[in-house]
Amino acid sequence: MKRSFLLLSGSFVTWLFLQVACIAYSSDPKQFIAEIVDEAKIVLNSNISKEEKSKKLSEIALKTVDIKGIGHYTLGSKRLKELTPNELKKYEEIFQKYFLKTFTSRLTDYSDPKIAVVSAEKTSEKYTIVKTMLLKTDKKPEVKIDWRIYTKDPNKPLIRDLIIEGLSLARTQKEEFTSILSTNNNDINALFARLEEFINK
């Protein structure tokens, strides 16, 4: 009986994640964020290993975040133009791994995050800001989180930035990359080495 229950439970969890993986996201930016938040909660509240959570969260990010666009912004248009095709390809591959590790390592420390989607404001033809609130707990204060959504393709919104209490994560990352390059004679290989060091930790 116990074995049957465990098998049934395992099958249910597998089915649940298959349903999550097949989600077709809303084209409405506010609903889009609400769906992502709900999807992430399922993963974070599940009884799976931290490694499995990281894998599931990475899958969500690959579907909903414009990682390539963030990577290009982070490096800057001037430096992008200076790269050879092989260097650009390598940068995009390394940045994706770096982004996913950064993204998942921050989230897997949370359990049952309570995020309220507050409002959405279209700032241009290409961008909408969705305002959310990470609700306070006994241990953590309330945090304002704005999601910058890229809507050039209105049927496929993508996250371009997170602005936490007024601080843009993409801009902060850009400043960090600029600093690394500036102290290494703008050698892109120095940036590659720093990112790979973080990825392989």
Side-chain angles (χ1 to χ4, degrees):
M1 180 72 178
K2 186 175 180 181
R3 179 183 169 87
S4 298
F5 175 75
L6 289 173
L7 287 171
L8 183 61
S9 298
S11 298
F12 175 74
V13 170
T14 302
W15 173 84
L16 184 61
F17 280 124
L18 284 173
Q19 298 308 303
V20 167
C22 294
I23 286 176
Y25 298 99
S26 171
S27 60
D28 174 72
K30 187 177 177 182
Q31 184 61 28
F32 171 64
I33 293 301
E35 290 168 354
I36 293 169
V37 167
D38 288 343
E39 188 177 1
K41 281 181 184 177
I42 292 173
V43 175
L44 293 170
N45 290 336
S46 63
N47 294 319
I48 57 176
S49 67
K50 193 170 182 178
E51 290 73 22
E52 276 297 306
K53 286 183 180 180
S54 293
K55 182 181 176 183
K56 295 294 179 184
L57 291 170
S58 292
E59 290 169 0
I60 295 172
L62 287 168
K63 292 182 291 182
T64 62
V65 181
D66 185 6
I67 300 175
K68 183 176 179 179
I70 294 172
H72 285 194
Y73 168 80
T74 301
L75 191 61
S77 58
K78 182 177 181 294
R79 287 195 172 94
L80 277 173
K81 291 175 184 176
E82 294 170 351
L83 299 183
T84 66
N86 285 339
E87 286 173 335
L88 177 59
K89 182 181 179 183
K90 184 175 180 180
Y91 171 71
E92 289 173 348
E93 290 173 351
I94 292 175
F95 182 82
Q96 177 171 294
K97 292 176 184 176
Y98 169 81
F99 177 90
L100 291 174
K101 183 167 183 178
T102 303
F103 172 77
T104 58
S105 62
R106 286 172 176 163
L107 278 183
T108 49
D109 289 332
Y110 281 88
S111 59
D112 194 23
K114 292 180 171 55
I115 298 179
V117 180
V118 179
S119 63
E121 178 187 353
K122 188 173 183 178
T123 56
S124 70
E125 287 301 313
K126 293 183 180 179
Y127 288 101
T128 297
I129 298 292
V130 177
K131 296 181 180 294
T132 67
M133 192 76 69
L134 181 60
L135 303 180
K136 68 178 181 180
T137 65
D138 293 338
K139 297 181 180 179
K140 295 181 180 179
E142 181 178 84
V143 179
K144 294 178 182 178
I145 304 174
D146 294 345
W147 309 65
R148 191 166 183 244
I149 310 302
Y150 187 55
T151 52
K152 184 177 180 180
D153 180 351
N155 295 315
K156 187 175 172 53
L158 291 169
I159 299 166
R160 269 281 178 94
D161 194 10
L162 281 184
I163 304 161
I164 301 176
E165 291 292 340
L167 183 66
S168 162
L169 295 187
R171 188 175 301 165
T172 301
Q173 195 68 79
K174 185 175 185 178
E175 290 168 357
E176 183 181 342
F177 282 19
T178 298
S179 176
I180 292 169
L181 288 165
S182 297
T183 55
N184 288 280
N185 298 314
N186 287 318
D187 182 0
I188 192 66
N189 291 303
L191 179 60
F192 291 163
R194 186 71 67 85
L195 297 184
E196 287 175 328
E197 181 183 351
F198 175 80
I199 292 165
N200 295 324
K201 268 202 245 183

